[in-house]
Amino acid sequence: MRESILLERPTFALDVVASSERRRKDVQACIIGRDIRFKTAALESFASRNWNNVVFDALVVAAAVEFCDRALARRAVIWGREFNVLIAVHDADLWSSSKVYEPLIAGLELLTGDRWKIEFVTRISPAESPRQIVMEFPRNAEAVIAYSDGMDSRAVAGLERATRGDKLVLVRLGGSGTRLTKAERAARPFTAVPYEVELGRDNGENSARSRGFKFAMIAAIGAFLVNAPVVIVPESGQGALGPALLPVGQGYPDYRNHPAFTARMEALSRALLGHAVRYEFPRIWNTKGETLAAFARLGSDDVKWMDTRSCWQQARHVSVDGHFRQCGICAACLLRRLSVHAAGLSEPASTYVWENLGAAVFEEGANPNFKKITRALRQYAIAGVMHFDHMAGLRKSPEYTLVKSRFVHGLAPGLREEAPVVAGKLDQLLTRHEEEWSAFIDSIGAQSFLNAWISSRP
């Protein structure tokens, strides 16, 4: 009996409504305005002439998905969960129509690996529209880019701006726009994600697959509000394709930056917003190191990459002497360090808690004043190393022909390219990753704990 329960998908029901609206009996409520809180200044930065209630509802749906994803823990033996969600929107008929509902559910289920059932009901009263402030929304935008503090985001925005100039619009995905001055926040559109989700407790689940939906939806909204035909996805090849090709830790494939997912978001945007947008991946066939090197070659005063953030860990877990660092050993940090090396650049050892990857013992690689070395950090490090090493050896492995065939079959349609062309580009990307990884590992030294882990891999 216990085994059968463990193999069942955990379930979660949620009603996302305004405080005055009716809820289902014995179902948890997520109250708009309390548990989903809109931030006035950030929301006003979205208030172009194209603003309408569907945009507000799209933000509520993205927030509801985030609430569900964070609230319900996954089981160790089964990835998927089941969600039964009721959401109050302004136009329930539109959201319930097959042209909107089908790509919405298809996108969520591909992205999260969960089952979703969403019922839309009509709001009792309309939400208050954000104040339209004096702001110059671009009139001739060619593209928007989902922009964060990450290295790929900074680099690709710089590369695209070199050719598009002011016709590229940044849709900032940070929480508060704190890197902007007060004057910049007042003058620029899309300064931050315009809402916060409050569970009222710690997260039950931290895999954060719903972030892909959140960012893709906000980018599509940005494109709609400035009439841009393109959303640029800044992720380079290893980050966009690697987690779906070879899931870290053998979990469910990660499609957050994968064209198969964005193809579903294109269909959703077209049906929901009446706006045809295309998600483009200008660096998907480049390694992150190649993207960083191209950015550095711009040679302008705006070429800043060292202060970007890659680490998955929260600040309180990776601080040394009260100063926040990046851990240096999770998969995201390892890809960053690999890319900096491949680009022929360098950064201070103090960027990371694990200052010395050449140490013979894992614990000795960390700054001696760091006292929070845990089994979880070690497992993150091992998973990341094995992921990139497996990727480096994949092209020469006996299973590659079958793996490539299946992967390309799901990838080519989203890129609008023929399968043989995509297969050839995948071969080339994996070859360059193999070369960069080999050079990076050689640079660390044979005595490194990384090499010891790699040598122990079956």
Side-chain angles (χ1 to χ4, degrees):
M1 177 67 72
R2 177 175 172 78
E3 290 181 359
S4 64
I5 292 175
L6 289 175
L7 292 174
E8 292 177 358
R9 289 172 177 253
T11 61
F12 184 68
L14 184 72
D15 285 359
V16 183
V17 295
S19 59
S20 59
E21 292 173 322
R22 181 178 297 179
R23 309 159 209 169
R24 292 175 291 178
K25 185 179 180 181
D26 299 326
V27 172
Q28 180 172 342
C30 172
I31 303 300
I32 301 169
R34 184 194 70 190
D35 306 308
I36 298 174
R37 296 193 311 219
F38 284 90
K39 298 176 287 186
T40 301
L43 192 63
E44 288 176 348
S45 75
F46 281 71
S48 82
R49 291 184 178 88
N50 288 347
W51 175 272
N52 59 44
N53 286 334
V54 175
V55 172
F56 180 85
D57 290 339
L59 294 171
V60 169
V61 169
V65 168
E66 179 183 343
F67 190 105
C68 290
D69 186 34
R70 290 167 49 192
L72 183 62
R74 301 185 186 276
R75 290 187 177 143
V77 295
I78 185 170
W79 175 271
R81 304 162 296 179
E82 292 191 10
F83 295 105
N84 184 335
V85 190
L86 180 147
I87 306 178
V89 294
H90 292 84
D91 189 345
D93 289 341
L94 173 63
W95 282 94
S96 302
S97 66
S98 60
K99 66 179 183 179
V100 171
Y101 191 79
E102 289 176 3
L104 170 64
I105 297 301
L108 288 176
E109 293 192 342
L110 175 70
L111 179 68
T112 67
D114 303 310
R115 293 174 184 162
W116 292 83
K117 178 183 178 183
I118 303 178
E119 177 186 355
F120 293 102
V121 297
T122 301
R123 290 178 59 111
I124 294 176
S125 58
E128 183 178 350
S129 297
R131 179 174 62 102
Q132 290 190 334
I133 59 178
V134 179
M135 181 181 299
E136 191 64 31
F137 281 87
R139 297 179 181 272
N140 60 345
E142 291 182 355
V144 303
I145 183 170
Y147 188 79
S148 69
D149 289 331
M151 182 182 286
D152 271 339
S153 180
R154 184 81 57 85
V156 176
L159 292 169
E160 290 291 319
R161 180 150 283 171
T163 58
R164 298 180 187 267
D166 291 339
K167 295 179 180 179
L168 176 71
V169 180
L170 307 186
V171 178
R172 292 171 179 80
L173 300 176
S176 62
T178 51
R179 288 183 179 272
L180 301 178
T181 65
K182 184 176 181 180
E184 287 174 331
R185 287 196 296 273
R188 295 185 183 183
F190 316 132
T191 57
V193 173
Y195 62 82
E196 293 178 339
V197 175
E198 295 290 341
L199 293 186
R201 56 180 172 83
D202 290 341
N203 288 345
E205 175 61 40
N206 291 308
S207 55
R209 294 298 173 87
S210 64
R211 290 181 65 190
F213 181 74
K214 173 181 179 178
F215 293 164
M217 178 66 85
I218 291 173
I221 289 171
F224 164 70
L225 292 175
V226 298
N227 293 314
V230 171
V231 170
I232 292 172
V233 182
E235 203 73 27
S236 296
Q238 294 129 309
L241 301 180
L245 181 63
L246 296 169
V248 176
Q250 305 304 311
Y252 177 77
D254 189 339
Y255 291 100
R256 281 178 287 190
N257 294 289
H258 193 285
F261 168 63
T262 57
R264 289 158 172 80
M265 293 301 297
E266 289 176 1
L268 177 60
S269 175
R270 187 165 54 249
L272 180 66
L273 301 172
H275 182 65
V277 66
R278 176 170 176 171
Y279 291 78
E280 293 186 354
F281 297 75
R283 306 299 296 184
I284 198 168
W285 298 120
N286 294 96
T287 67
K288 193 182 187 86
E290 291 170 337
T291 296
L292 178 59
F295 180 52
R297 285 196 296 269
L298 290 178
S300 70
D301 292 338
D302 292 332
V303 176
K304 300 176 181 178
W305 59 269
M306 284 191 190
D307 64 344
T308 59
R309 172 166 169 75
S310 302
C311 188
W312 289 347
Q313 304 296 326
Q314 296 180 4
R316 68 178 185 270
H317 296 148
V318 285
S319 295
V320 176
D321 297 330
H323 298 286
F324 170 59
R325 297 190 181 190
Q326 304 190 61
C327 75
I329 42 85
C330 68
C333 282
L334 285 171
L335 179 55
R336 177 191 179 96
R337 298 177 90 154
L338 162 64
S339 304
V340 171
H341 181 269
L345 302 171
S346 61
E347 55 188 338
S350 59
T351 302
Y352 304 105
V353 172
W354 261 261
E355 298 176 352
N356 181 18
L357 295 182
V361 178
F362 172 71
E363 291 77 6
E364 293 177 358
N367 180 286
N369 292 333
F370 182 70
K371 306 301 182 184
K372 297 181 179 179
I373 299 176
T374 63
R375 183 176 182 274
L377 283 173
R378 182 184 180 90
Q379 293 304 313
Y380 272 125
I382 293 172
V385 170
M386 296 307 177
H387 171 73
F388 292 118
D389 194 63
H390 192 181
M391 190 185 299
L394 180 61
R395 192 177 56 86
K396 297 177 181 177
S397 67
E399 68 267 21
Y400 179 55
T401 299
L402 178 59
V403 170
K404 179 171 71 170
S405 175
R406 291 177 175 173
F407 191 71
V408 167
H409 177 75
L411 177 61
L415 292 172
R416 298 176 175 86
E417 295 188 47
E418 296 296 324
V421 174
V422 172
K425 291 179 179 179
L426 181 63
D427 287 340
Q428 295 169 15
L429 174 65
L430 290 174
T431 296
R432 296 197 302 280
H433 170 74
E434 178 185 359
E435 293 168 350
E436 291 181 6
W437 179 252
S438 178
F440 175 65
I441 293 300
D442 286 347
S443 73
I444 292 172
Q447 80 289 345
S448 166
F449 64 89
L450 298 187
N451 264 309
W453 290 347
I454 291 170
S455 299
S456 67
R457 186 165 77 88

